[in-house]
Amino acid sequence: MNLTHGQRFGQWTLKGEKALGAGGNGEVWLAENSKGTKAALKFLHIKNFGTTRAMRFQDEIQFLTKEKDRPGILPLIDTHPPDDRPWFSTPFASCF
């Protein structure tokens, strides 16, 4: 399943015409909820389902959960770890 503007995942709706960025493990999209809160949603690449990269994605979720109060790390807002399309969200941060 390709990700596109307007798709909904939990409380989030994807914004923009393409991902903010991508790497070997996943891609990140800007999303917004019904309250106007913006977040970054990271999705595991479909090609990585059932691989060690999927375990790494789960490790990233566990790390963010465990280190939620550590300075300099964006807190985890919510997560959807099942195999149908794993994702997690963090506050949207921009660099200037």
Side-chain angles (χ1 to χ4, degrees):
M1 167 174 83
N2 290 328
L3 299 171
T4 59
H5 175 82
Q7 281 181 292
R8 290 189 51 93
F9 294 90
Q11 66 175 311
W12 305 104
T13 302
L14 298 185
K15 299 294 181 181
E17 297 304 316
K18 62 181 183 173
L20 296 171
N25 209 35
E27 62 184 291
V28 177
W29 281 75
L30 174 63
E32 189 173 332
N33 68 12
S34 62
K35 296 177 184 177
T37 302
K38 292 186 178 174
L41 265 64
K42 183 174 182 179
F43 295 89
L44 179 67
H45 285 310
I46 291 173
K47 68 182 180 182
N48 293 334
F49 287 14
T51 69
T52 56
R53 287 189 178 259
M55 290 185 290
R56 183 174 159 198
F57 192 83
Q58 293 302 320
D59 289 345
E60 189 172 358
I61 291 170
Q62 288 177 357
F63 174 83
L64 291 171
T65 300
K66 180 180 172 188
E67 300 296 333
K68 64 182 183 217
D69 296 323
R70 183 189 249 185
I73 295 180
L74 290 171
L76 187 66
I77 298 173
D78 59 11
T79 181
H80 180 76
D83 293 333
D84 59 337
R85 188 66 196 240
W87 58 267
F88 65 83
S89 61
T90 61
F92 177 70
S94 62
C95 299
F96 359 164

